[in-house]
Amino acid sequence: MSSMDLLHERYSRQVSLAELGIAGQQKLLQARVLVVGAGGLGAAALQYLAAAGVGHLGIVDDDSVALHNLHRQPLYSMADIGAPKANTARSRLQALNPGINIIAFNERLTVANALQIISTYDIVIDGTDNFATRYLINDACVLLQKPLVYAAVSKYEGQVSVFNVPKEGMAVNYRDLFPQPPAPGEVANCAETGVLGVLPGIMGVMQAAEAIKLITGIGEPLVNRLFTYNVLNNQVFEWKLQARQGTADLIPATAAAFEKTDYQWLCGMASMEREIDSNRFDQLAGQESTIIIDVREPGEEPLVDEFAHEKIPLGRLSEQAGSIRAENILVFCQSGKRSLQAARLLAEQLGDATKIYSLAGGIVQWKKAREHKKQASAQ
């Protein structure tokens, strides 16, 4: 039997679809898809991508198979406990479909390797389970202009979306949905809350379906839309997503800036000692050795005329950091989230000689506190 006959036989049920056909199957065979995370989501997505004939698959995961994985990751078995997931997944998938190319990256995706790894693939599937890596993947995909198929699960509910694909003049990314990471402890992970084993499989297969639609051009991928599914009652909801003003400023503008970003710190895995309240802000603001910087975008309200300050949007702060000279630097934004990033960025570039602080709660909270003081003193 010729290779073309084998291709027709193996993928006959897909090729017979009028919308897909042999042309669509050829697109799948030529496609390059990277799956980050070979756990519940990633393992399910990988099996169906391999079976569908996606010709080049990449698997990034530095974890090993554990007993508690098996209820939701049936790609692995008892015999695999202790073995690297990436290598084990590659072996299983290659046995499933010897006609495709699979590369295993038995390492964690970091700012040091993400751009290099992702750049060689057409589409990225996020199968991770922690916020630091999610934001890292999103920002890398935005920088490299790569489509990102996202999913997340918790307990009985999952969500799926397709990010960074232009549609109607807009390309929404993960930060348009969640601009900033949650505070430490605000959102529990699956290890803390649990997850029904079939749910990651359902959502992972949906990720594979979205990738196949993107590759072949069939159907309507979940571009700029968020789909949620509850396995207990089979309720589904779908939201249209919009790009947010200021989202671009939260994403490193260059590869060099990306590689300097500490995503573990941004996602609450370090102390928040640089945050100060309104009272401490006022004390430091009155000192001659203090510079105050507004890292918001031009035109953002409320306007600030109560104290002298410089305006340097977060996206331009890195390039101007070297020219800032002061004993104390106070940074503020609308709610205190962007300024916390700014404080970290300045600390990395200026070192310990300068004391750098972020206004907790942002200028909105500061103005409320100031008004409250005025009312209290008038009584």
Side-chain angles (χ1 to χ4, degrees):
M1 187 179 290
S2 69
S3 59
M4 186 58 69
D5 290 335
L6 283 171
L7 186 149
H8 275 280
E9 177 65 22
R10 184 177 189 99
Y11 305 114
S12 61
R13 298 303 189 270
Q14 282 186 172
V15 171
S16 63
L17 293 168
E19 298 85 354
L20 195 142
I22 191 66
Q25 189 61 53
Q26 291 289 359
K27 290 179 181 178
L28 289 171
L29 290 168
Q30 294 166 7
R32 302 179 63 86
V33 178
L34 180 71
V35 179
V36 184
L41 293 167
L46 281 164
Q47 289 178 87
Y48 278 87
L49 291 172
V54 172
H56 305 272
L57 289 175
I59 309 168
V60 182
D61 199 309
D62 70 336
D63 198 8
S64 298
V65 179
L67 181 61
H68 65 80
N69 296 148
L70 301 184
H71 93 288
R72 66 193 183 283
Q73 299 172 27
L75 180 62
Y76 311 113
S77 70
M78 289 290 291
D80 299 320
I81 292 176
K85 284 185 180 180
N87 295 341
T88 306
R90 180 188 181 280
S91 234
R92 294 278 194 281
L93 299 171
Q94 205 71 79
L96 171 64
N97 192 347
I100 63 174
N101 180 46
I102 307 171
I103 297 177
F105 299 91
N106 187 24
E107 57 189 299
R108 178 176 291 273
L109 199 71
T110 68
V111 292
N113 63 19
L115 297 182
Q116 180 180 0
I117 293 175
I118 292 173
S119 65
T120 61
Y121 290 87
D122 306 319
I123 295 171
V124 177
I125 290 182
D126 181 357
T128 62
D129 61 358
N130 67 86
F131 287 105
T133 311
R134 283 179 191 162
Y135 281 93
L136 183 154
I137 294 170
N138 176 79
D139 294 357
C141 286
V142 172
L143 273 173
L144 296 171
Q145 299 183 347
K146 301 287 185 179
L148 172 61
V149 183
Y150 154 82
V153 295
S154 179
K155 298 176 72 173
Y156 306 106
E157 188 167 289
Q159 53 187 217
V160 181
S161 188
V162 174
F163 295 134
N164 211 35
V165 175
K167 183 178 181 181
E168 299 175 354
M170 178 175 60
V172 168
N173 67 73
Y174 183 68
R175 286 188 184 268
D176 289 309
L177 182 60
F178 302 112
Q180 299 282 359
E186 185 177 343
V187 178
N189 58 32
C190 290
E192 297 166 327
T193 64
V195 62
L196 190 64
V198 297
L199 182 62
I202 294 169
M203 309 316 289
V205 170
M206 286 196 68
Q207 286 181 286
E210 293 303 303
I212 289 169
K213 289 190 287 183
L214 288 171
I215 293 164
T216 61
I218 65 173
E220 296 183 19
L222 288 166
V223 175
N224 300 345
R225 294 182 290 155
L226 179 71
F227 174 93
T228 68
Y229 170 69
N230 187 305
V231 71
L232 286 184
N233 52 27
N234 286 321
Q235 285 187 345
V236 297
F237 296 95
E238 187 177 301
W239 286 269
K240 289 185 177 181
L241 304 178
Q242 298 286 331
R244 290 174 180 256
Q245 182 181 4
T247 294
D249 296 319
L250 302 175
I251 298 171
T254 65
F258 173 82
E259 290 169 359
K260 292 179 181 177
T261 303
D262 188 340
Y263 286 89
Q264 300 289 329
W265 186 90
L266 290 178
C267 293
M269 298 181 187
S271 66
M272 298 293 107
E273 294 176 355
R274 296 190 186 279
E275 283 192 302
I276 56 173
D277 62 17
S278 298
N279 290 331
R280 180 61 175 155
F281 181 90
D282 291 340
Q283 292 173 1
L284 292 171
Q287 298 179 10
E288 291 184 3
S289 57
T290 295
I291 288 179
I292 305 174
I293 303 173
D294 180 355
V295 297
R296 298 178 299 168
E297 285 296 294
E300 284 193 54
E301 295 184 346
L303 300 177
V304 178
D305 56 12
E306 293 89 346
F307 50 81
H309 62 280
E310 298 184 17
K311 296 182 179 181
I312 308 177
L314 180 59
R316 295 188 358 234
L317 189 60
S318 181
E319 62 189 57
Q320 298 188 33
S323 63
I324 301 172
R325 297 288 184 271
E327 183 178 329
N328 300 311
I329 299 177
L330 310 183
V331 287
F332 71 88
C333 64
Q334 198 78 352
S335 65
K337 294 180 178 179
R338 277 176 286 174
S339 61
L340 200 53
Q341 291 191 39
R344 176 64 174 180
L345 185 153
L346 289 171
E348 289 177 347
Q349 296 201 20
L350 301 180
D352 297 331
T354 303
K355 296 178 181 178
I356 303 162
Y357 302 99
S358 167
L359 176 59
I363 198 63
V364 172
Q365 185 63 38
W366 182 87
K367 283 181 174 281
K368 288 180 179 178
R370 185 169 183 266
E371 186 61 30
H372 181 74
K373 287 180 182 178
K374 283 184 179 180
Q375 292 176 359
S377 62
Q379 292 176 351

